[in-house]
Amino acid sequence: MSAHRFPPARSLRALPTALAVLALVAALAACATAPYTGRSQFILVSAGQEARLGAEAAKEVLAKEKISTDKAKIERVRRIGGRIAAASQAEQAWEFHVVENDEIVNAFALPGGKVFVYTGLMRLARSDDELAAVVGHEVAHVTLRHGAERMSQSLALGLGEQLALTLYGGSSAGAQAFKVAYGIGANVGVLLPYSRTHEYEADRVGLVYMAKAGYEPGAALDFWGRMLAQSQASGGKRPPEFLSTHPATEKRMEAIRAMLPEARAHLPAKGRPAPAAPAGTL
Ligand SMILES: [Zn+2]
């Protein structure tokens, strides 16, 4: 019965931390349910904490990246983002920013609703419907609280001591810990890949949002198809950044195809205007 042997002295030293984390988990464990999919989620971070940390990280992105001043591009992303945010009916301090960099094909969202789209990705998204597919997916990551789940997992694993101090002890030293837990890499603007569960869930809910906002969900397949073609054209040497965190495999595209009827049921009835962006959406 070696599995029941008393732990060796070395791991005993880690015990107080582990107990503290366990106590924290016991005190705060809240089983949330993901909207639309009904999946139960393990979340230890409040929406307010999540929004505060996301806003801090967004400040850093805004300071480090070249934010576009091109009125047409800004208007395009804000118009699409605003309609999708309205369709999500999620109360977040939404902000949609354009990063001026044609070399980078990427988009990402921070908790609390700060969404960044690179001009390189905008060039590849030929129609508003295609861009809406990307924005819908990113907005879904926010409303489904995937970032909070990611942070909660590292807290529960005892990997987030610094983060725990920041969240519950008022320390401000945890910005880096937050970035690690949230999956923001050394390069600002590069988020580590989400799990497959999170990706499929964001695909499914993102398609519903885009349809509710009046965009054709089938455009998601056109966009992913073009991403895949671009990657194959480069011989897989330099896949677009968005593709490195969002693998456009045949399997994923098949899954999206199967999700289309559900999404299309949410398209506004003909003649009825799609919801407009709420006032104050940046
Ligand atoms: Zn994603």
Side-chain angles (χ1 to χ4, degrees), residues 137-138 141 194 198-199 202-203 242 245-246 252:
H137 176 94
E138 292 304 324
H141 274 310
Y194 277 109
H198 282 171
E199 282 309 322
D203 281 341
F242 196 64
T245 52
H246 294 82
R252 182 173 192 174

Side-chain angles (χ1 to χ4, degrees), residues 158-231:
L159 301 174
E161 282 173 62
Q162 197 65 47
L163 180 66
L165 278 176
T166 305
L167 291 174
Y168 310 107
S171 155
S172 60
Q176 190 56 37
F178 157 69
K179 283 194 268 177
V180 171
Y182 191 70
I184 300 172
N187 298 321
V188 66
V190 179
L191 258 66
L192 296 177
Y194 277 109
S195 69
R196 248 178 45 179
T197 305
H198 282 171
E199 282 309 322
Y200 277 56
E201 197 170 69
D203 281 341
R204 183 176 164 194
V205 175
L207 290 169
V208 169
Y209 288 164
M210 73 181 284
K212 277 185 156 185
Y215 297 104
E216 166 48 45
L221 285 178
D222 301 333
F223 177 78
W224 285 115
R226 193 163 315 113
M227 291 282 275
L228 198 57
Q230 162 132 339
S231 167

Side-chain angles (χ1 to χ4, degrees), residues 42-46 49-51 53-54 111 145-157 159-160 163 167 177-183:
F42 171 71
I43 293 181
L44 301 172
V45 185
S46 77
Q49 289 166 328
E50 209 186 332
L53 292 165
R145 303 192 65 199
H146 289 161
E149 266 191 286
R150 222 184 223 188
M151 286 189 263
S152 304
Q153 279 158 7
S154 54
L155 282 171
L157 290 170
L159 301 174
L163 180 66
L167 291 174
F178 157 69
K179 283 194 268 177
V180 171
Y182 191 70

Side-chain angles (χ1 to χ4, degrees), residues 64-183:
K64 286 192 178 163
E65 298 286 55
K66 189 180 173 213
I67 301 303
S68 179
T69 53
D70 184 321
K71 283 199 177 110
K73 288 178 196 159
I74 296 169
E75 190 276 331
R76 185 181 177 208
V77 165
R78 284 189 185 168
R79 174 170 39 83
I80 295 170
R83 278 170 62 171
I84 287 177
S88 80
Q89 296 181 300
E91 286 192 22
Q92 302 274 358
W94 295 107
E95 283 179 25
F96 296 91
H97 298 285
V98 177
V99 181
E100 195 69 53
N101 190 333
D102 287 347
E103 302 299 309
I104 295 186
V105 179
N106 201 14
F108 64 93
L110 293 169
K114 317 294 183 218
V115 181
F116 294 84
V117 183
Y118 287 70
T119 52
L121 185 139
M122 292 178 71
R123 280 152 64 111
L124 208 64
R126 289 194 185 153
S127 63
D128 281 3
D129 297 84
E130 288 188 26
L131 192 51
V134 175
V135 174
H137 176 94
E138 292 304 324
V139 162
H141 274 310
V142 174
T143 62
L144 292 162
R145 303 192 65 199
H146 289 161
E149 266 191 286
R150 222 184 223 188
M151 286 189 263
S152 304
Q153 279 158 7
S154 54
L155 282 171
L157 290 170
L159 301 174
E161 282 173 62
Q162 197 65 47
L163 180 66
L165 278 176
T166 305
L167 291 174
Y168 310 107
S171 155
S172 60
Q176 190 56 37
F178 157 69
K179 283 194 268 177
V180 171
Y182 191 70

